[in-house]
Amino acid sequence: MSKKTTWIVVALVALLALGIGARLLLPQGERSAGTGAASEEAAGGMGGAVGSMAPDFTLPKARGEGAIALSEYRGNVVLVNFWATWCPPCREEIPAFIQVRDKLHADGFEIIGVSLDEGGPSVVLPFAQEYGITYPLAMGDQALTQRYGGIRGIPTSFLVDREGKIVQKYLGAVDAQTLENAVKSLL
């Protein structure tokens, strides 16, 4: 079984187990409470828990040479988004991410997209160009997903405040209004 197939199976099982699979499969307008994604007030146990410091990382950039370190963004509000090119809910939230980042970037908001694609930059770069992704993209790995509490499905996003603390965890696609409201409360 390929890594991609494994991630799909894991994501589906996790979503069904969490009881949110139906929410992610419904069109945006049919979701309850208009939140877009299931959010967790407490992520529990390991790293990645709401209220804990976000695990730092240094990952290879998807675009070109060098690395992206979360610590370089201290002082900004950051959304750390675990995603993949083959994931439909991940694709769904990209326009909202671009919209909110463009609107709030000058005020100190950034998004770091952590791709879990097994094909690496050769898969991510054409996709990013096609979708017009302007925020930083990094290539993630299983070790990082474990440090964030074990990512059970994608997309999974962590909203990190200016001090580096996780203030919100989102399971599933995040809509523009939900993200913008959360970010504005932290800026």
Side-chain angles (χ1 to χ4, degrees):
M1 185 179 296
S2 74
K3 286 183 183 178
K4 179 178 177 181
T5 303
T6 302
W7 273 106
I8 291 171
V9 170
V10 169
L12 291 174
V13 169
L15 293 175
L16 291 173
L18 293 171
I20 62 171
R23 285 189 61 163
L24 297 178
L25 297 175
L26 291 174
Q28 183 87 9
E30 294 180 31
R31 292 185 182 148
S32 64
T35 61
S39 63
E40 293 186 351
E41 293 303 321
M46 300 165 56
V50 172
S52 69
M53 294 301 287
D56 195 16
F57 55 78
T58 301
L59 298 171
K61 289 182 179 179
R63 297 179 180 106
E65 299 292 318
I68 295 174
L70 179 59
S71 59
E72 293 175 9
Y73 295 91
R74 185 65 54 91
N76 293 298
V77 174
V78 180
L79 185 75
V80 178
N81 171 246
F82 290 89
W83 70 288
T85 59
W86 47 264
C87 163
C90 301
R91 291 173 179 228
E92 175 187 319
E93 68 187 357
I94 290 170
F97 284 2
I98 294 169
Q99 174 189 340
V100 175
R101 181 189 182 259
D102 287 351
K103 186 173 184 177
L104 301 176
H105 188 258
D107 296 325
F109 174 59
E110 187 58 273
I111 297 171
I112 300 174
V114 180
S115 171
L116 300 176
D117 282 280
E118 66 182 42
S122 66
V123 172
V124 174
L125 291 177
F127 179 90
Q129 185 172 3
E130 177 185 342
Y131 276 74
I133 298 173
T134 54
Y135 48 86
L137 297 174
M139 301 307 304
D141 57 24
Q142 187 173 6
L144 182 62
T145 65
Q146 291 305 311
R147 290 183 54 221
Y148 271 80
I151 303 300
R152 294 180 293 239
I154 54 174
T156 296
S157 301
F158 297 85
L159 188 60
V160 180
D161 70 12
R162 292 180 184 270
E163 287 75 44
K165 186 175 13 171
I166 296 172
V167 295
Q168 190 71 45
K169 178 179 177 182
Y170 299 99
L171 303 172
V174 181
D175 65 81
Q177 193 62 56
T178 299
L179 180 60
E180 184 175 338
N181 289 344
V183 171
K184 281 183 172 180
S185 74
L186 300 171
L187 290 175

